[in-house]
Amino acid sequence: MDKQWYVIHTYSGYENKVKANLERRVESMNMEDKIFRILVPMEDEVEIKNGKRKVTKRKVFPGYVLVEMIMTDDSWYVVRNTPGVTGFVGPGTKPIPLQPGEMAYILKSMGLEDAKTRHDFELKQNVRVISGPFQDFIGIIEDIQPEKGKLKVLVSMFGRETPVELDFAQVEKLS
């Protein structure tokens, strides 16, 4: 039997506790040869509030934990009867493993991708520039590039609208 990745369903918000419980059970029941890795997929998220960048960890799949294991009756029993686990993902009682490509993508995104930036800007919204050479200018958002963390803002200079590219942290919303 090959080891494969399976998805277990947990109570939402208890993913890390289930991971810790399962790791303890694997050790106490000597299942290290059947249950290998337990993951709660997380990603870094950059939040910008009041011009400050804050990096937070966010669960990619809330309510789910990934387990790399060899599926046997014993290993199924250990995982299924861990406190906080509501069951395996799959039809009926037979869990279905993740495809290797799916798991490769999840592992890659956990370790190799840049942090995603969350913002609350909208097109045509009025903003004030709070830092840089255009400080204290007021403009209108023309374009939002969340993957780069940048905005294109139309600022009025010398009686003309001029597009300026700014970081999310360089502007604040006008109320």
Side-chain angles (χ1 to χ4, degrees), residues 32-76:
E32 290 94 347
D33 59 330
K34 298 264 194 274
I35 301 173
F36 305 99
R37 288 194 283 173
I38 302 158
L39 279 180
V40 178
M42 307 279 263
E43 70 181 357
D44 288 339
E45 184 173 78
V46 178
E47 222 175 303
I48 298 176
K49 281 191 178 174
N50 300 329
K52 292 182 177 58
R53 296 173 67 96
K54 182 181 171 193
V55 178
T56 56
K57 292 263 186 208
R58 185 179 72 84
K59 291 181 181 89
V60 179
F61 307 115
Y64 296 95
V65 175
L66 304 175
V67 181
E68 184 181 32
M69 60 190 277
I70 296 172
M71 185 58 71
T72 64
D73 288 344
D74 292 338
S75 63
W76 179 90

Side-chain angles (χ1 to χ4, degrees), residues 107-122:
L107 292 171
K108 177 180 172 269
S109 68
M110 280 179 68
L112 303 175
E113 262 186 35
D114 292 337
K116 292 191 167 103
T117 304
R118 199 168 86 200
H119 65 86
D120 55 353
F121 297 111
E122 299 172 14

Side-chain angles (χ1 to χ4, degrees), residues 128-156:
R128 177 190 320 273
V129 181
I130 56 174
S131 67
F134 299 100
Q135 185 170 351
D136 295 327
F137 277 73
I138 293 175
I140 298 170
I141 296 175
E142 184 181 62
D143 187 30
I144 302 171
Q145 300 169 352
E147 62 282 347
K148 292 182 180 177
K150 301 216 179 261
L151 300 168
K152 190 179 286 183
V153 178
L154 289 178
V155 178
S156 181

